[in-house]
Each structure stands twice: as C-alpha cells, then as structure tokens.
Amino acid sequence: MSLLLVWQYLFSPAFFQGALMTLLLTVCSLFFGIITGLILALLQESRFKAGTVLAFGYLWLFRGTPVLFQIIFVYNVLPTFGLRFSAFTCAVLALSLNEGAYMAEILRSGLQAVRRGQRTAGMALGMTQRQIMQKIVLPQAARIVLPPMGNQMISMLKSSALVSVIAVQELLLIANQTASASFRYFEALCAAGIYYLVLTSIFMVGQAWLERSLDPKKRRKPALSLTERLQQSSAAPH
C-alpha cells in the first residue's frame, strides 16, 4: 500500500478526465431521464387509453430487464438497423431510457399526492389545465419527489460505471486500466473510490440545498426568542 501513489492517481489527468466523464454521463442521463419520466407520468395520468398502455409497456420493458443488458443491446444491436452512434451516445441513450422508467414512477407518485380539490379550485378561478399544472401541481409535487429523485441520482452516478463494458473512458475503466498496467489495484481503486465519494457528496449537498429552497417552512425566518426580543427593545431609541 502506497499513500503517495494514491495521491498521485488522484491528481493525475487520466483520473480527473475519467471523473469528468462520469459526471457528464450522469448529468446527461439524468436530464433526459427526467424528461422521459415526466412524459410517461403525464401519459399515465391522461385519459387516453393508448397513452396509458404505451406507458405501461415502456415501464414493463425497461424495469424488467437489467441496465447492463440495455447498454449492451443499444451498443451492439442498433448498428444492425443502420443506427450507428458513438459509445458515449449509446451509454447516455441506454442510461436515459432506463432512468426514465424509474423517474416516471417517482414523478407519478408526486403528481398523485397533490389533492384533486386544489385542481378543482384552480379551474374555479378560471385557470387553464396548463396553468394549473405549472402553478399548482408541479411546485407541490417537486417538494414531494425531490428526496427519492436525489436517491435515484446517486444510484445513476454509480450505475454509470457499467458503461465501461462498451469502452467509455469513465472513472472505473480508467482505474482498471491503470491497475492492469501497474498491478497496483488497491491504490488505483482507492483513488477511484475517493472520486466517487466526492461526487456523491456533491449530489447530496445539492439535494439538501434544493429541499431547503423548496420547503416554505424552512425558508421562513425563525421567530426571535424572548431574550432576543428584550435585547432589541432595550437597544431601540426612546
């Protein structure tokens, strides 16, 4: 074990670029996954039978097969239909499709948690369905779905390591290649583990900040204690 070697790996350009690739994969997959999940959640809430059937089929397919299978399928099968993409694009596509299935259930639970009486009240005020969704439903649903979405984001960050099977130069692949060349697996994997912990910590801090920002109770200024009020009154000019 060499702590100096771990330190060198941490600040090496290869590991830093691998961490950036992991972060880029996670952010892109989450972005498209959330959009896909929101569309599926709205389809499940719609009155159209075809939309609910389509959403159910999507969830059945992508929740019923492993994400590793989906990555390999997208990378190896799509070219047979004339659809050729880079390894990075295939990785984002597969992760986004998989993430969309789980985000759909999270977002659907948030939409259903908003009482229908509030929607009826919005209609009584003359608001359109779009206005009701933007100003009443989505702000309340966002506070409800944020904690499970945060957990899903961290899970996506760790699942991004699976794309190493299609040779995307993300963090785990860089660590494995470095260890294979020097046979210093402990040091290389420790450096990669530290990067993963730093990235997940950033996501956790961001989630806590968003939860505080969206919660009106936490945004309120706390009431002054009796001692503080007495100090303010005594300091005020007479």
Side-chain angles (χ1 to χ4, degrees):
M1 175 180 175
S2 173
L3 294 178
L4 179 61
L5 189 56
V6 174
W7 186 263
Q8 290 176 352
Y9 285 155
L10 279 174
F11 291 94
S12 67
F15 273 75
F16 184 72
Q17 290 175 4
L20 288 180
M21 177 61 71
T22 295
L23 184 60
L24 182 60
L25 274 169
T26 304
V27 172
C28 291
S29 301
L30 283 173
F31 176 76
F32 292 111
I34 291 173
I35 293 177
T36 304
L38 181 59
I39 294 173
L40 291 170
L42 294 176
L43 284 176
Q44 289 179 293
E45 292 289 305
S46 69
R47 301 176 182 177
F48 299 102
K49 185 72 174 179
T52 56
V53 171
L54 178 63
F56 175 79
Y58 185 101
L59 297 178
W60 171 77
L61 177 63
F62 285 96
R63 292 176 66 188
T65 53
V67 61
L68 182 59
F69 167 84
Q70 295 165 20
I71 294 170
I72 297 173
F73 186 92
V74 168
Y75 183 74
N76 291 309
V77 175
L78 288 187
T80 62
F81 295 96
L83 300 173
R84 298 184 180 277
F85 303 108
S86 65
F88 176 82
T89 303
C90 289
V92 171
L93 179 59
L95 292 175
S96 300
L97 292 173
N98 180 268
E99 189 69 12
Y102 293 94
M103 284 295 181
E105 291 299 290
I106 295 174
L107 294 172
R108 183 176 66 87
S109 64
L111 294 175
Q112 290 181 345
V114 180
R115 297 178 180 178
R116 292 191 176 274
Q118 299 190 39
R119 306 187 189 193
T120 305
M123 294 175 63
L125 293 173
M127 300 174 68
T128 63
Q129 290 292 335
R130 182 176 180 180
Q131 290 175 329
I132 291 172
M133 184 63 65
Q134 289 180 344
K135 297 182 179 181
I136 297 177
V137 178
L138 289 181
Q140 297 183 69
R143 293 196 297 269
I144 298 170
V145 304
L146 189 57
M149 282 183 65
N151 292 333
Q152 196 63 29
M153 290 177 184
I154 294 174
S155 177
M156 167 59 67
L157 176 66
K158 294 182 290 186
S159 297
S160 65
L162 295 173
V163 303
S164 60
V165 299
I166 58 174
V168 177
Q169 296 293 313
E170 49 78 48
L171 182 57
L172 185 60
L173 182 61
I174 294 295
N176 194 36
Q177 290 176 341
T178 303
S180 299
S182 61
F183 296 100
R184 304 304 294 262
Y185 284 92
F186 182 84
E187 290 82 355
L189 293 177
C190 278
I194 292 172
Y195 268 112
Y196 278 118
L197 288 173
V198 169
L199 293 175
T200 53
S201 298
I202 292 173
F203 274 95
M204 292 171 67
V205 171
Q207 177 188 348
W209 179 81
L210 283 175
E211 288 182 8
R212 185 175 182 84
S213 300
L214 293 174
D215 192 344
K217 296 180 181 179
K218 294 181 179 180
R219 287 186 312 212
R220 293 174 185 169
K221 187 177 180 180
L224 295 176
S225 64
L226 178 60
T227 304
E228 290 172 332
R229 282 182 287 177
L230 289 174
Q231 290 176 349
Q232 285 190 356
S233 62
S234 61
H238 297 285

